[in-house]
Every structure is written in structure tokens, then in C-alpha cells.
Amino acid sequence: MSNILVVGSLALDSVETPFGKRDDILGGAALYASTAASFFAPVNVVGVVGDDYPVEALEFLRERGVDTTGVEVVTGGKSFRWAGRYEYDMNSAQTLDTQLGVFGDFSPKVPEAYQQASHVFLANITPSVQSAVLDQVDPGCFVMADTMNFWISSAREDLLKVLSRVDLMLLNDAEIRQLTGTPNLAKAAREVLAMGPRYVVIKKGEYGATLVSAEGSFTLPCYPLQAVLDPTGAGDTFAGGFVGYLAWAGSCEDQDLRQATAIGTVMASRVVESFGLESLAATTNDEIYARYFALKSMVHFEELPAGL
Amino acid sequence: MSNILVVGSLALDSVETPFGKRDDILGGAALYASTAASFFAPVNVVGVVGDDYPVEALEFLRERGVDTTGVEVVTGGKSFRWAGRYEYDMNSAQTLDTQLGVFGDFSPKVPEAYQQASHVFLANITPSVQSAVLDQVDPGCFVMADTMNFWISSAREDLLKVLSRVDLMLLNDAEIRQLTGTPNLAKAAREVLAMGPRYVVIKKGEYGATLVSAEGSFTLPCYPLQAVLDPTGAGDTFAGGFVGYLAWAGSCEDQDLRQATAIGTVMASRVVESFGLESLAATTNDEIYARYFALKSMVHFEELPAGL
């Protein structure tokens, strides 16, 4: 049976966008990814919070089949808190405050019951910690990892070690340019593949995502929405939907990876329609099918007739 | 018989990119668009140059079936000259110098033989001049128009008149946000449709293009290239391929517009592979078919299996 291990941050976010403001809502990469993945397969989540964290609020995840016993609660510790603001250009957040709290010393212990996961998503954490997780899981599992600009500059050697051990690396367009020093994205993607992963996914914010492998590239736009309320967590939700779909499909041929990209896109389109996890958690399978079908229609075009 | 009228600039460009430098090469929106369109249907081009322009260099266009008798040569006048530089981020040019020359007083007279064009492309010129061209052509023709940030701010009323008369408007992402004051592209596109055109194409540089109509939206990525030598003319080449395909197809259903978007994308991928027109003009029909097919494969994914 496929099941998924997600390792990363659980946070309390305070977010302001042109459409509203929320304080101390549930957030963090691992939470967004786990919620999205839970639509497709059983999920085990590993993270750390302080005793200021409303663990009872994770009940909705347990109802969705997510095992949260891997979330360590540090007595007397403070949870990771992030505060950020988006302007009308929703592509990048302005970080107003970051309090790492207990997440600053995160040293994930993967419970024995989780070590046989078929699929692992390493959300954005210190690369050396990502490697320490990989030391605790079945080497045959499918591993996806995310990172950020800070680690590319401050922990490059550790990040290169992670890259040599993962199946798929997620990077946004600025990160892949920073990592490779190559402005051309098609070329940069090939350079990342040469660092180890079989696949790289370039996240391009409102412009969608591109999957690149030795077999070629596959690009999808975002699902078009007239109203994006809060883009927080879109990338992690994409990753969670992606890894969830792969676990459900039980194979990872080129076509499966393409479908996973589409599912990631669909799930990300749901999460940005509300602050926090609200709209994502309320998604129905019918909505997933409908948006997937709409996305497929949105990129469909006919063959070029003969006779030029 | 379909044929195409292209009205716009013919210029002598001096271009510098990280990959080289060329001085006084053939350029201008009308020239890029006409060359691209000439692969699909007969083209008539209307423009103006000075007697410093090497008109004999247009022979390659005449060999491609482009009628250049509508290019007025002003004795004693200077041709439009543009000098620009691109950094590694090829999305935007830094203009180093612009000499409008005779193009500053461009008052296009559409020869009688051209007035029955089935398709018209109004490249980026003063909106009042675009309107003056529309006064001279068959009101039943299919009209595409381009514009730029300068006219959106300095000639907004005239531009709105053009918008009310065209079938399809081309705008890049910055321009459509400027025109509508709406940051969300999906919403901005609807607002432009409400200004008159049946279709809007949002050009997103390296991120591709989106076609929007009342029927929905269609998005294609750029054709991925490992080496982009000079992006000058990519948007006009896209437009020329687009209008050329529509003229060749002889209809403009939703599927035709989608195929035209793909052809525009393919032609644009050819022009950026060299400085100026060199690689575009050398394109073969086999290359067009191959890239079209590759682009179609690049966005293909299978249905979502039942059983979620």
C-alpha cells in the first residue's frame, strides 16, 4: 500500500493581502502539503510545534486520514510563526516577521511506522535536516524536495548532497537561476538534472509550472481564477497534490508525472481561493475532476492540417 | 482568396545581447510580422522608410510572396532607427536610442489593391493612425492590433476607439495591467473583452501566451530553447504567424484561434534563434510541423482516472 511521508514546518501565520487579513492561522509547508496529499493517499506528517499550538485544530486532518502522531509538541516551546504581506502583485510575499521557535532546532525523528513510506516530500527545511530524514527512510521510495533562496546561498554543499539523493526537485524560477547561474530556464533545468534528480519542477507563480526530465518538458499554466485571496502555501499545496497523485497512481512513468503536475495545479488553484487552508480542505472530488478536465481543455489544440 | 495587410514600422535596428551585437539590421514590427505571415498566405505590407533604407534587401520578402509596393520611400528622409540592449534576462529590452525619422509622420495610404484584405494586422503605431487604416479597409475583415505602454498612457481615448473596432487585441502582461488597472490577468482580460474585441492575446514573454474569449482561455508556453540569441521581434513574429495561420485556415472558430496561437508560438521560437530575421526567414515547413507537434506533445496529459 502506498503511503506518503511529509516532513516540514507547521506554523502559525499572520497574513495580509489586498483582500483581507488573518492572524495566527494554521500554516506551514508540511500542513499545506499534507492536506493536499490527503485527497489521494494516506499521509504521515512529521513536524514540531510548541505548546502554544492548537493541536486540536488538526482534527480535520486526522479525519482526512492523515496520521499526525509524528508531530512533536515541545513543552514550553514556541511554534514557528510567520507574518507576511502581499501587494496586488501576488507573486511574492513581503515577510514582516519570522519567529522560528522550536522549528529552529527541528531534528525530525521518523517514527518506525512511517519509515516504509512509498513517497516522501521534504518541504523547505535546512538541507542537512533533509538528508537526515533520508537516512531514516526506505532508500527505494520516491523522494521530492523543496528548498529556498537562503539555503542555495548559505548551505550550497549540503543542498547539492540532497539533490544527489532525490528523485524530483522543486524550484521556483528565481531559485533555479540562482542555483545554476543560468538565466535560460530550459538550460538551467538540464543543469539541475545533471546534479542528480530525474525530474525537476520549475514553479513559476501565476505563470504555472514546468516539469523537466531527460524525456523532455511539460508545461501547464495556472488554473485561471478571477479572484486570488491569499497565495500562501500554493507551492506546498502543489507539491502535496503532486506527491499524492503519484502515490495514488502507484507508478511514475512520464504520463503519471504529467498528471501529477496537473493535480498539483488543481490543488494549488483551490488553496489560493481563501486565506489559509479553508478552501483547500473543503474541496470535493467532483471539483478536482472538474478543474482537471477544464485545465486539460485549456491547453488542448488540434493537429496542424497538412498542406502548408 | 485570403490575403493579409500588415501596417507598421520598418526599421534599421542595432541590437546588443549577451551573445553578440549587430548594427543597422533589418527590423521593425511590420517586417517581422510580414515575414512570419508569408509562410501561410499572400501578404501586403504598408510602411515608410527613408532613402537610406536598403530596399533591395527586401527581395527575400518578395520571393516569399510579400507585396512591398506599399512601402513608401521618402526621398531625403531618414528611416526609423532603434538601438537596444538585452541583459541575460531576455524579457525586456533597454532602449538605447530611438530615431523615428520618416516613421514619425507615418500616414499610411492603403493601396486600392490592398483594401480587400481578408485579414489586417495593425502593428504598434499611434492609435489614431491605426484607426485611419481601418477607415481604408473592408469593414468585414478580421483585424488584429498591437500597442505599447506609451499609447496606453498618452493616447488612451484613441486607443479605446481602436479597441472598439478590432477583433483581436494583443497586449503583454504589463500593458494589460496598465490598460485595465487590474493586476489579475484573468480578470483584466475580461475587462478588455468588454472594451470591444472578441479576443485578447496576453503575451507573457518567456512564459508564453494566453488567448482569452467569451468561450474561455487557452494558454501555451513558449517553445523551450536552450539558446535565445536575440528576442527582438518575437511578439510581432507571433502576431504575423497568428494572422497568417488564420488567413490560411479561412475560418476563425475557437479551435482555429488556438491553432493560430500555436503557430505564433512556433514562429516566435524561430525568430529568437538568430539576430534579426535570419533564422525566421530560413524556416522550412517541415520545421514548422515538427515544432508544432512538439509543442502539442509538451502540453499533453491524460484524463484523470475514475475512482478518487
Side-chain angles (χ1 to χ4, degrees):
Chain A
M1 176 59 182
S2 293
N3 63 61
I4 301 165
L5 171 63
V6 172
V7 183
S9 62
L10 289 95
L12 295 170
D13 288 346
S14 295
V15 183
E16 191 177 342
T17 83
F19 307 103
K21 188 173 182 321
R22 296 289 185 283
D23 286 321
D24 296 332
I25 57 175
L26 294 185
L31 197 58
Y32 281 106
S34 298
T35 307
S38 72
F39 287 81
F40 306 95
V43 178
N44 302 314
V45 57
V46 168
V48 65
V49 295
D51 53 12
D52 57 343
Y53 193 88
V55 280
E56 68 287 355
L58 297 181
E59 184 55 30
F60 83 98
L61 270 189
R62 289 185 282 270
E63 284 168 12
R64 300 201 56 82
V66 178
D67 185 331
T68 61
T69 55
V71 177
E72 185 189 353
V73 182
V74 178
T75 311
K78 292 288 184 196
S79 299
F80 179 25
R81 284 170 194 262
W82 176 79
R85 182 162 58 200
Y86 298 84
E87 304 298 334
Y88 279 100
D89 171 1
M90 295 275 201
N91 275 325
S92 54
Q94 181 192 354
T95 291
L96 301 174
D97 190 33
T98 303
Q99 302 285 343
L100 286 178
V102 294
F103 188 62
D105 301 312
F106 186 36
S107 173
K109 284 162 286 298
V110 180
E112 200 171 328
Y114 295 5
Q115 294 176 6
Q116 298 305 313
S118 60
H119 293 74
V120 175
F121 173 52
L122 302 171
N124 170 32
I125 36 178
T126 319
S128 60
V129 173
Q130 292 178 320
S131 284
V133 172
L134 293 183
D135 293 336
Q136 301 173 60
V137 297
D138 181 346
C141 67
F142 186 95
V143 179
M144 283 173 57
D146 191 17
T147 193
M148 71 184 293
N149 51 4
F150 181 71
W151 308 125
I152 295 171
S153 56
S154 70
R156 187 179 172 85
E157 287 310 310
D158 287 342
L159 180 60
L160 291 175
K161 281 181 206 153
V162 172
L163 275 157
S164 73
R165 299 177 72 181
V166 304
D167 296 278
L168 187 150
M169 192 70 201
L170 290 152
L171 293 158
N172 71 29
D173 37 12
E175 289 161 358
I176 196 169
R177 288 178 166 131
Q178 184 190 356
L179 175 63
T180 60
T182 299
N184 178 302
L185 292 178
K187 202 166 165 213
R190 303 249 168 171
E191 291 174 23
V192 176
L193 294 179
M195 297 172 186
R198 272 188 294 157
Y199 308 98
V200 57
V201 170
I202 309 172
K203 299 179 290 180
K204 298 179 287 189
E206 66 173 321
Y207 298 115
T210 294
L211 166 74
V212 186
S213 72
E215 295 178 68
S217 72
F218 171 67
T219 297
L220 274 184
C222 279
Y223 182 89
L225 294 169
Q226 300 280 316
V228 171
L229 286 197
D230 171 16
T232 308
D236 297 307
T237 302
F238 174 92
F242 193 110
V243 73
Y245 181 80
L246 284 187
W248 184 62
S251 65
C252 59
E253 301 298 315
D254 182 57
Q255 272 305 323
D256 301 307
L257 276 285
R258 288 172 174 237
Q259 291 174 288
T261 307
I263 285 291
T265 300
V266 165
M267 302 314 280
S269 78
R270 282 296 289 151
V271 81
V272 301
E273 291 185 289
S274 73
F275 284 82
L277 288 156
E278 200 178 312
S279 54
L280 177 64
T283 302
T284 64
N285 286 351
D286 282 352
E287 283 170 330
I288 295 172
Y289 277 96
R291 289 208 171 172
Y292 187 100
F293 181 79
L295 195 60
K296 191 161 160 54
S297 305
M298 247 186 72
V299 299
H300 174 77
F301 61 104
E302 302 289 341
E303 297 286 356
L304 182 57
L308 258 194
Chain B
M1 178 57 182
S2 293
N3 63 62
I4 300 165
L5 171 63
V6 173
V7 183
S9 61
L10 290 96
L12 296 171
D13 287 346
S14 295
V15 183
E16 191 176 344
T17 84
F19 306 103
K21 189 174 182 317
R22 296 289 185 283
D23 287 321
D24 296 331
I25 57 176
L26 294 186
L31 196 59
Y32 281 105
S34 298
T35 306
S38 72
F39 286 81
F40 305 95
V43 178
N44 302 313
V45 57
V46 167
V48 64
V49 295
D51 54 11
D52 55 345
Y53 194 87
V55 280
E56 69 286 355
L58 297 181
E59 184 54 30
F60 84 96
L61 271 189
R62 290 185 281 271
E63 283 169 13
R64 300 201 57 81
V66 178
D67 185 330
T68 61
T69 55
V71 177
E72 186 189 352
V73 182
V74 178
T75 312
K78 291 286 183 198
S79 299
F80 179 24
R81 283 170 194 262
W82 177 78
R85 181 162 59 199
Y86 298 85
E87 303 299 334
Y88 279 100
D89 171 0
M90 295 274 201
N91 275 324
S92 54
Q94 182 192 352
T95 291
L96 300 174
D97 190 34
T98 302
Q99 303 284 342
L100 287 177
V102 293
F103 188 61
D105 302 313
F106 185 36
S107 175
K109 283 163 287 296
V110 180
E112 201 171 327
Y114 295 6
Q115 294 176 5
Q116 297 306 312
S118 60
H119 294 73
V120 175
F121 174 52
L122 302 171
N124 169 32
I125 36 178
T126 319
S128 60
V129 173
Q130 292 178 318
S131 284
V133 172
L134 293 182
D135 294 337
Q136 301 174 58
V137 297
D138 182 346
C141 66
F142 186 95
V143 179
M144 284 173 57
D146 191 15
T147 192
M148 72 183 293
N149 52 2
F150 181 70
W151 308 124
I152 295 171
S153 56
S154 69
R156 187 178 172 85
E157 288 309 310
D158 287 342
L159 179 61
L160 291 176
K161 281 181 207 155
V162 171
L163 274 158
S164 73
R165 299 178 72 181
V166 304
D167 297 278
L168 187 151
M169 192 70 202
L170 291 153
L171 293 157
N172 71 29
D173 37 11
E175 289 161 357
I176 195 169
R177 287 178 166 130
Q178 184 191 356
L179 175 62
T180 60
T182 299
N184 178 302
L185 292 179
K187 203 168 164 212
R190 303 248 169 172
E191 292 174 22
V192 175
L193 294 179
M195 296 173 186
R198 273 188 293 157
Y199 307 98
V200 57
V201 170
I202 309 172
K203 298 178 290 178
K204 299 180 286 189
E206 66 173 321
Y207 298 115
T210 294
L211 166 75
V212 186
S213 72
E215 296 179 68
S217 73
F218 171 67
T219 297
L220 275 184
C222 280
Y223 183 89
L225 294 168
Q226 300 281 316
V228 171
L229 286 196
D230 171 17
T232 308
D236 298 306
T237 302
F238 174 92
F242 194 111
V243 73
Y245 180 80
L246 284 187
W248 185 62
S251 65
C252 59
E253 301 299 315
D254 182 57
Q255 272 305 324
D256 301 308
L257 274 286
R258 287 173 174 235
Q259 291 174 287
T261 306
I263 285 291
T265 301
V266 165
M267 301 314 281
S269 79
R270 281 295 290 152
V271 81
V272 301
E273 291 185 290
S274 73
F275 283 82
L277 288 156
E278 200 177 313
S279 53
L280 178 64
T283 301
T284 64
N285 286 350
D286 281 354
E287 283 169 330
I288 295 172
Y289 276 97
R291 289 209 171 173
Y292 186 100
F293 181 80
L295 195 61
K296 191 162 160 53
S297 306
M298 246 185 73
V299 298
H300 174 78
F301 61 104
E302 302 289 340
E303 296 287 355
L304 182 57
L308 259 194

